[in-house]
């Protein structure tokens, strides 16, 4: 009898093993690689290390803690001060990188903003508490679908779309903005199906090789997708994905890989933190080690490694560090983000760390009046609003008004022409030779600020904090004693870039010029 039971147990075990193996195999079958195998003549790999900055990078290099980055610098060129877009928040910057335009054209205003047509408060996910208030499903839908399908303008083309039109292929690994020409069916985990976040066969338009955490994997065996690993939104996962393309000899013409871990470390520990850079360097080493030698890795690809924005220290004193706009504007009825817009709401706040949109719903309230009120708060830097075609700017500590509009007798180093009036010190602008604009603390200030007012419609002001401080409101993140970004200031704006394998240079050292430059490299 016992003998028979043992046989049955063994048979059941065997069945279970075969069944699960089969399931795994089925799960592994990957539609991505139904793609034709092409060997591009030129391959550009662009790795973004979120919030990579020149100063901590230099310390990591000096300590010998970043050998892979050092190797790239020794064999290429280093640009310490590339100019980001505005506001200095990842989704807006990614959209600029992908489309080669500022927010006036790509229409992704910020991480958090307000859509006046749909009367919707929009966030692609800025903080856990905010996500709880808005509902996880809503935030998920905004970032997964609305950001790429509705908000990112169809009047501009992404680099993925242009590369596809040339008959070439590209890869997007873990970037939030990814629009491409190929329909990619998402892998839907059971939990998301149960809570109706996604349905079976839900799809997005993305590039040929599309990696997006657990929802779309290139390497079916990529293990770094547990919930404590952000479902795949981590550097180890991203590295594993590119490594897989290298192993399979599938590196396409252009690969964009997003390393997000460094940003969190800098937010928490401050602007001198080097741990995130050292870890990102280890990931790079893993990638280089896929080749017979590191030199071979360079020979096979053009490597571009860069940050996306800077960060600014936030003072280590809660009372001073956090500028609560609900208190500054306490005389008004401010929209509560957990509820839809109410009839009596006069103001909506769109907080983006060191930058904020202030939307005026009550038409009887004048911009200038709000701006003057904001000016009284000493930790607030520049405040701007639009009147007709003119953008007006006030400063927390400089007198008067500065106003500007597109096209005029002044021109800047980027070949943009402006009509300007008033106190140029407000935007730290110097005029040379009677008509040349030279930027100081606010790089490419006019085009970047201007772009914000044409990134979406609505009746709003744009406000920035001075270095040392950040805005808070309902459910927004706090970085007391750490660092934060979002503003127009150079500390939030500059990021470094390392390039190997090409002599071509971008037209200007700005994020907005990177797309055209990469397309040139591919055409070379
Ligand atoms: Zn950040």
């Amino acid at each position: 009898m016992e003998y028979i039971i043992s046989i049955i147990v063994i048979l059941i075990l065997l069945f279970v093993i075969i069944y699960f193996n089969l399931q795994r195999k089925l799960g592994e079958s990957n539609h991505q690689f139904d793609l034709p195998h092409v060997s591009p003549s030129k391959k550009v790999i662009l790795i973004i290390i979120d919030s990579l900055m020149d100063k901590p990078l230099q310390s990591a290099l000096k300590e010998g803690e970043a050998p892979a980055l050092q190797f790239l610098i020794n064999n290429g060129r280093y640009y310490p001060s590339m100019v980001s877009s505005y506001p200095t928040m990842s989704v807006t910057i990614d959209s600029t990188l992908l489309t080669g335009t500022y927010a006036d054209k790509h229409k992704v205003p910020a991480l958090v903003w307000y859509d006046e047509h749909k009367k919707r408060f929009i966030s692609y996910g800025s903080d856990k508490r905010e996500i709880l208030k808005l509902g996880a499903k809503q935030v998920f839908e905004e970032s997964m679908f609305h950001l790429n399908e509705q908000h990112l303008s169809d009047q501009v083309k992404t680099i993925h779309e242009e590369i596809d039109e040339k008959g070439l292929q590209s890869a997007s690994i873990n970037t939030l903005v990814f629009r491409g020409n190929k329909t990619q069916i998402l892998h839907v985990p059971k939990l998301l199906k149960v809570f109706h976040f996604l349905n079976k066969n839900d799809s997005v338009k993305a590039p040929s090789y599309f990696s997006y955490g657990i929802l779309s994997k290139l390497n079916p065996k990529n293990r770094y997708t547990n919930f404590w690993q952000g479902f795949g939104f981590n550097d180890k996962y991203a590295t594993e994905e590119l490594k897989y393309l290298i192993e399979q000899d599938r590196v396409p013409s252009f690969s964009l890989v997003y390393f997000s871990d460094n940003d969190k470390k800098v937010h928490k520990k401050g602007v001198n933190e080097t741990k995130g850079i050292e870890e990102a360097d280890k990931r790079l080493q893993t990638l280089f080690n896929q080749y017979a030698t590191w030199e071979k890795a360079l020979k096979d690809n053009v490597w571009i490694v860069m940050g996306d924005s800077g960060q600014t220290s936030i003072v280590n004193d809660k009372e001073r560090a956090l500028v609560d706009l609900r208190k500054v504007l306490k005389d008004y009825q401010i929209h509560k983000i957990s509820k839809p817009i109410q009839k009596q709401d006069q103001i909506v706040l769109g907080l983006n760390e060191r930058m904020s949109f202030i939307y005026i719903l009550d038409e009887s309230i004048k911009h200038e009046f709000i701006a003057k009120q904001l000016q009284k708060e000493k930790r607030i830097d520049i405040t701007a609003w639009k009147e007709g075609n003119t953008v007006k700017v006030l400063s927390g500590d400089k007198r008067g008004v500065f106003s500007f509009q597109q096209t005029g007798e002044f021109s800047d180093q980027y070949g943009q022409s402006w009509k300007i009036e008033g106190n140029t010190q407000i935007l730290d602008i110097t005029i040379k030779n009677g008509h040349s604009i030279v930027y100081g603390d606010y790089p490419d200030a006019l085009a970047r600020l201007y772009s914000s007012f044409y990134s979406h419609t609505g009746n709003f002001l744009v406000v920035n904090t001075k270095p040392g401080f950040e805005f808070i409101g309902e459910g927004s993140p706090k970085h007391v004693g750490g660092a934060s970004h979002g503003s127009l200031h150079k500390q939030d704006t500059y990021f470094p870039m390392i390039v190997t394998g090409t002599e071509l240079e971008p037209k200007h050292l700005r994020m907005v010029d990177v797309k055209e430059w990469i397309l040139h490299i591919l055409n070379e």
Side-chain angles (χ1 to χ4, degrees):
M1 188 64 187
E2 273 175 27
Y3 172 74
I4 292 172
I5 289 174
S6 304
I7 295 261
I8 291 171
V9 168
I10 288 168
L11 278 175
I12 289 173
L13 273 174
L14 263 176
F15 176 77
V16 167
I17 289 167
I18 291 167
Y19 177 79
F20 278 102
N21 259 322
L22 200 69
Q23 281 285 317
R24 221 188 61 212
K25 284 264 151 50
L26 283 173
E28 279 175 19
S29 66
N30 203 314
H31 62 280
Q32 314 252 14
F33 292 92
D34 296 344
L35 288 167
H37 188 289
V38 284
S39 269
S41 54
K42 200 96 197 172
K43 289 180 265 192
V44 176
I45 297 176
L46 167 51
I47 295 177
I48 294 188
I49 302 175
D50 199 334
S51 290
L52 178 70
M53 286 179 283
D54 173 52
K55 221 179 120 206
L57 172 58
Q58 292 306 328
S59 352
L61 292 169
K62 218 169 133 198
E63 298 293 318
E65 299 287 356
L69 290 163
Q70 185 71 65
F71 176 73
L72 287 178
I73 293 173
N74 292 348
N75 289 284
R77 295 189 307 279
Y78 181 66
Y79 302 91
S81 311
M82 294 283 293
V83 173
S84 189
S85 48
Y86 179 73
T88 38
M89 299 300 281
S90 291
V91 282
T92 302
I93 306 168
D94 291 355
S95 303
T96 292
L97 167 66
L98 288 190
T99 65
T101 64
Y102 279 147
D104 54 331
K105 300 266 167 42
H106 68 58
K107 309 284 181 190
V108 176
L111 184 67
V112 179
W113 57 287
Y114 172 66
D115 181 342
E116 70 158 359
H117 294 299
K118 294 191 174 148
K119 294 204 182 324
R120 268 169 78 89
F121 177 83
I122 290 170
S123 170
Y124 305 116
S126 80
D127 191 79
K128 285 188 204 85
R129 289 174 310 131
E130 185 208 56
I131 293 171
L132 282 176
K133 279 171 188 267
L134 291 170
K137 192 181 172 203
Q138 183 183 321
V139 175
F140 175 77
E141 278 173 358
E142 297 292 8
S143 62
M144 184 80 225
F145 299 109
H146 302 165
L147 169 61
N148 285 281
E149 288 168 10
Q150 295 170 15
H151 305 152
L152 184 68
S153 168
D154 57 11
Q155 301 299 303
V156 290
K157 277 185 190 167
T158 68
I159 189 165
H160 298 301
E161 290 165 335
E162 289 203 31
I163 286 173
D164 182 71
E165 282 163 21
K166 289 176 197 289
L168 301 172
Q169 296 171 332
S170 63
S172 172
I173 299 178
N174 271 2
T175 59
L176 285 184
V177 191
F178 51 70
R179 200 180 70 200
N181 286 339
K182 301 276 187 270
T183 301
Q184 299 281 10
I185 310 276
L186 298 172
H187 161 78
V188 184
K190 276 204 182 68
L191 202 67
L192 291 185
K193 224 182 299 178
V194 170
F195 289 102
H196 302 289
F197 274 57
L198 284 171
N199 299 311
K200 199 173 170 241
N201 293 331
D202 268 347
S203 66
V204 290
K205 285 284 197 186
S208 307
Y209 294 97
F210 175 55
S211 173
Y212 192 86
I214 200 169
L215 298 181
S216 188
K217 284 202 255 185
L218 300 172
N219 179 357
K221 289 186 181 143
N222 196 332
R223 295 175 291 121
Y224 303 103
T225 54
N226 291 303
F227 76 91
W228 63 88
Q229 295 165 317
F231 298 104
F233 286 94
N234 63 74
D235 297 1
K236 281 190 178 154
Y237 169 91
T239 305
E240 204 57 35
E241 293 290 82
L242 182 59
K243 192 178 137 197
Y244 186 68
L245 291 182
I246 298 169
E247 274 168 11
Q248 304 285 316
D249 188 25
R250 288 279 185 162
V251 177
S253 298
F254 173 62
S255 305
L256 176 58
V257 187
Y258 205 85
F259 283 179
S260 52
D261 294 354
N262 182 58
D263 177 68
K264 297 180 198 103
K265 292 194 169 69
V266 179
H267 274 300
K268 209 168 165 202
K269 303 270 174 143
V271 296
N272 296 321
E273 177 63 16
T274 56
K275 241 224 124 62
I277 298 173
E278 291 163 21
E279 280 170 21
D281 194 274
K282 290 201 182 93
R283 307 287 92 78
L284 272 176
Q285 294 172 37
T286 305
L287 294 170
F288 292 168
N289 290 341
Q290 294 312 301
Y291 297 85
T293 60
W294 284 18
E295 284 74 17
K296 177 86 168 85
L298 259 55
K299 210 167 159 267
D300 282 10
N301 311 284
V302 171
W303 293 85
I304 304 168
V305 177
M306 64 190 201
D308 63 342
S309 76
Q311 291 213 25
T312 298
S313 292
I314 302 300
V315 296
N316 196 10
D317 169 356
K318 204 174 152 208
E319 291 306 310
R320 268 180 18 90
L322 308 173
V323 181
D324 192 337
L325 281 174
R326 292 167 300 183
K327 285 186 188 153
V328 182
L329 302 168
K330 62 179 185 315
D331 299 339
Y332 306 99
Q333 178 78 34
I334 295 176
H335 161 245
K336 290 226 172 8
I337 65 168
S338 48
K339 290 184 192 158
I341 302 293
Q342 308 289 305
K343 229 181 167 172
Q344 64 274 22
D345 285 341
Q346 292 174 292
I347 280 176
V348 180
L349 297 175
L351 293 156
N352 291 277
E353 301 183 14
R354 298 189 355 91
M355 175 272 189
S356 183
F357 290 115
I358 298 174
Y359 298 90
I360 303 176
L361 305 187
D362 179 344
E363 281 169 20
S364 69
I365 306 171
K366 295 256 174 295
H367 293 91
E368 203 156 358
F369 190 71
I370 298 270
K372 292 244 158 81
Q373 248 172 318
L374 293 166
Q375 227 184 348
K376 285 184 206 150
E377 166 52 66
K378 290 291 162 231
R379 295 167 295 174
I380 287 180
D381 193 7
I382 52 170
T383 301
W385 70 98
K386 186 162 73 82
E387 276 177 21
N389 293 329
T390 306
V391 175
K392 300 208 159 189
V393 194
L394 288 187
S395 158
D397 44 19
K398 286 166 195 116
R399 287 166 177 275
V401 187
F402 173 75
S403 45
F404 69 98
Q405 53 177 277
Q406 257 191 336
T407 321
E409 57 191 291
F410 294 88
S411 62
D412 60 24
Q413 67 192 93
Y414 306 110
Q416 303 160 140
S417 142
W418 305 99
K419 184 178 170 191
I420 61 172
E421 224 176 276
N423 184 2
T424 51
Q425 284 178 2
I426 289 174
L427 279 179
D428 197 26
I429 283 170
T430 333
I431 305 296
K432 294 241 163 90
N433 309 323
H435 54 80
S436 293
I437 293 172
V438 179
Y439 298 112
D441 281 345
Y442 309 97
D444 200 13
L446 300 184
R448 292 167 70 220
L449 195 53
Y450 177 89
S451 77
S452 210
F453 289 99
Y454 290 86
S455 62
H456 59 311
T457 58
N459 192 17
F460 59 88
L461 293 103
V462 162
V463 58
N464 298 260
T465 53
K466 284 183 189 165
F469 315 109
E470 68 179 340
F471 290 119
I472 53 155
E474 207 185 344
S476 56
K478 298 183 185 106
H479 309 100
V480 179
S484 168
H485 49 97
S487 87
L488 191 68
H489 195 275
K490 64 181 177 191
Q491 280 175 221
D492 289 0
T493 299
Y494 286 138
F495 64 89
M497 176 170 85
I498 307 165
V499 184
T500 66
T502 178
E503 290 305 315
L504 291 178
E505 297 203 300
K507 193 171 174 206
H508 301 290
L509 299 180
R510 300 182 300 179
M511 186 59 100
V512 73
D513 297 296
V514 169
K515 177 196 175 189
E516 272 317 303
W517 171 53
I518 292 173
L519 291 173
H520 277 156
I521 298 174
L522 292 177
N523 272 337
E524 208 186 6

